[in-house]
Amino acid sequence: MKVAAIVGSIRKESYNLKLARYIQNRYQHLFQLDVLNIRDLPYYDQDVESAPPQPVIDFKGQVAAADAVLWVTPEYNSTIPGVMANAIDWLSRGDRVMIGKPSWIVGSSMGLLGSVKAQGHLRDILFASGISSPLLPGNEVYIGLVHEKLNEKGELINEITIKYLDFVANNFMLWMKELSQLKQLESQK
Ligand code: FNR
């Protein structure tokens, strides 16, 4: 199974990027996680959306080819970062590649609450008509004080967090299986 990761931070040492890489490595027996490049996306511009620049075409193609999307979000000023909102705006227009594609959200911040406000907003946005993504119910992952929970190699070192992430990754797989069984039943009608 192919999962596309959209990380809401473009800085090299991003904790959320490290978290995405950790998930990629730890659950490689469950799914193939590809971390997508959103750094090269221009600002969303309705004037060019019918013939978008190449980075947009590539990005949307990668999302379209994935079975699901993992959103890995920091929190900026109590919401999602602009780079993530920009990526979502591109995805929501034209061929609207997110419609019906399952999503899973995780996030971290250096504060105590681990991106809880950003994730609340992101959930609402994923239900907007141009995105309409079914979201893994429950299983919310808020990693606060992330700078104390990742070592210099980018590995999680907090046992409770690791166990919880294992539990959620497993639930994500079960949910994906249920969704595909439902799809199969629908197609037999
Ligand atoms: C932050 N940070 C932050 N943290 C938080 O818990 N709630 C918030 O509202 C904000 N707001 C905020 C705004 C801006 C502009 C910046 C740059 C930072 C701190 C944030 O959690 C921290 O910088 C993380 O390290 C950002 O994630 P990455 O880049 O490490 O993935």
Side-chain angles (χ1 to χ4, degrees):
M1 188 176 65
K2 274 174 74 129
V3 181
I6 298 179
V7 180
S9 174
I10 56 173
R11 73 184 186 99
K12 288 192 195 74
E13 293 299 318
S14 159
Y15 292 117
N16 285 281
L17 176 59
K18 287 177 183 170
L19 181 60
R21 296 272 179 226
Y22 179 83
I23 290 171
Q24 182 181 50
N25 191 41
R26 186 166 178 87
Y27 306 115
Q28 53 185 292
H29 59 293
L30 298 179
F31 48 80
Q32 179 194 323
L33 187 70
D34 298 315
V35 179
L36 304 191
N37 173 21
I38 62 166
R39 167 181 282 280
D40 296 335
L41 293 177
Y43 289 136
Y44 169 76
D45 177 353
Q46 197 170 356
D47 287 344
V48 299
E49 71 171 15
S50 55
Q54 195 60 42
V56 175
I57 295 170
D58 294 344
F59 172 67
K60 292 180 90 172
Q62 286 166 317
V63 171
D67 299 299
V69 171
L70 171 65
W71 303 87
V72 188
T73 190
E75 182 168 286
Y76 277 9
N77 301 307
S78 303
T79 189
I80 58 168
V83 288
M84 182 175 269
N86 187 52
I88 292 171
D89 288 345
W90 282 116
L91 292 174
S92 70
R93 302 287 293 181
D95 43 3
R96 304 200 295 181
V97 291
M98 275 306 296
I99 290 185
K101 195 174 294 290
S103 284
W104 170 27
I105 301 176
V106 303
S108 73
S109 79
M110 293 173 73
L112 276 177
L113 300 181
S115 75
V116 65
K117 289 183 180 174
Q119 290 193 39
H121 292 173
L122 181 55
R123 274 195 291 277
D124 275 352
I125 295 166
L126 294 182
F127 296 146
S129 59
I131 299 289
S132 298
S133 171
L135 180 62
L136 173 67
N139 293 282
E140 294 165 20
V141 180
Y142 307 115
I143 305 180
L145 301 177
V146 64
H147 52 296
E148 296 177 7
K149 293 176 183 159
L150 285 167
N151 67 14
E152 62 293 338
K153 290 191 217 150
E155 297 160 337
L156 275 176
I157 50 168
N158 182 282
E159 277 307 313
I160 294 172
T161 307
I162 295 168
K163 275 200 183 131
Y164 181 60
L165 207 51
D166 287 351
F167 170 75
V168 172
N170 197 47
N171 287 342
F172 170 67
M173 293 306 293
L174 291 173
W175 179 67
M176 287 296 291
K177 210 182 270 177
E178 279 170 22
L179 287 182
S180 84
Q181 282 166 353
L182 276 177
K183 246 187 226 162
Q184 232 171 351
L185 282 176
E186 278 293 316
S187 68
Q188 285 163 7
K189 271 186 192 168

